[in-house]
Amino acid sequence: MIIREATAADLGVLSAAGLEAMNWTGEARFTYEQFMSTPELSHYLDGWPRAGDFGVVAETAEGTPVGAAWCRTFAVDDAGYGFVATDIPELTIGVLAGNRGTGVGTALMEGLIGQGSTRGLRGISLSVEDGNRARLLYERLGFRKVGRNGGSDTLLLELLTSPILAVE
């Protein structure tokens, strides 16, 4: 597996990964059309990439995308589900069906956390719904609960204290 920086050409991969993230239960809770036409969901990708956006894509050795993760900051009046502050980007991650449980999510998260650290960010946030097994990955990487929004927790990774960055 190869982890590479996401580019403007990766909007399709990010869209597919975002849809997987929204449908994490395995049920088709959202269609692609619903995902892209619902403002509180589509704002995670509208205009990708805009200033400050960054991300990573996981591919097979043959170049087939298997997942993506990216970060985007939001204004207070357009906050995402995992919003913490205007200077803390919110993370979205999705691993395509058939590739979960193979280390893709961990590799994506480590790549994204590394990018955030290189950019000098103080943290990265995300939202995780109750029952989502990915929460175990987030907590293992140092994310901690800082809020609640409906049936989801808002988690924050403080980059200066991230266990992933302390390991050399």
Side-chain angles (χ1 to χ4, degrees), residues 13-134:
V13 175
L14 272 61
S15 298
L19 185 60
E20 288 292 328
M22 296 296 126
N23 291 326
W24 65 268
T25 64
E27 300 171 31
R29 301 186 308 164
F30 298 93
T31 65
Y32 177 79
E33 292 74 23
Q34 289 170 319
F35 175 57
M36 296 309 288
S37 66
T38 304
E40 53 272 3
L41 300 177
S42 64
H43 75 159
Y44 288 98
L45 287 169
D46 285 342
W48 172 266
R50 60 185 194 200
D53 289 352
F54 61 99
V56 290
V57 173
E59 296 178 335
T60 65
E62 295 77 32
T64 304
V66 294
W70 66 97
C71 282
R72 172 169 267 191
T73 56
F74 294 100
V76 173
D77 63 352
D78 187 34
Y81 290 108
F83 181 82
V84 171
T86 57
D87 67 330
I88 295 181
E90 186 176 343
L91 180 150
T92 303
I93 181 172
V95 176
L96 304 184
N99 296 283
R100 295 187 189 118
T102 64
V104 173
T106 298
L108 287 167
M109 292 291 291
E110 289 174 348
L112 202 62
I113 290 167
Q115 282 189 1
S117 177
T118 298
R119 291 168 174 261
L121 299 175
R122 67 181 178 112
I124 295 173
S125 69
L126 60 83
S127 175
V128 61
E129 288 183 88
D130 296 343
N132 189 332
R133 289 183 20 214

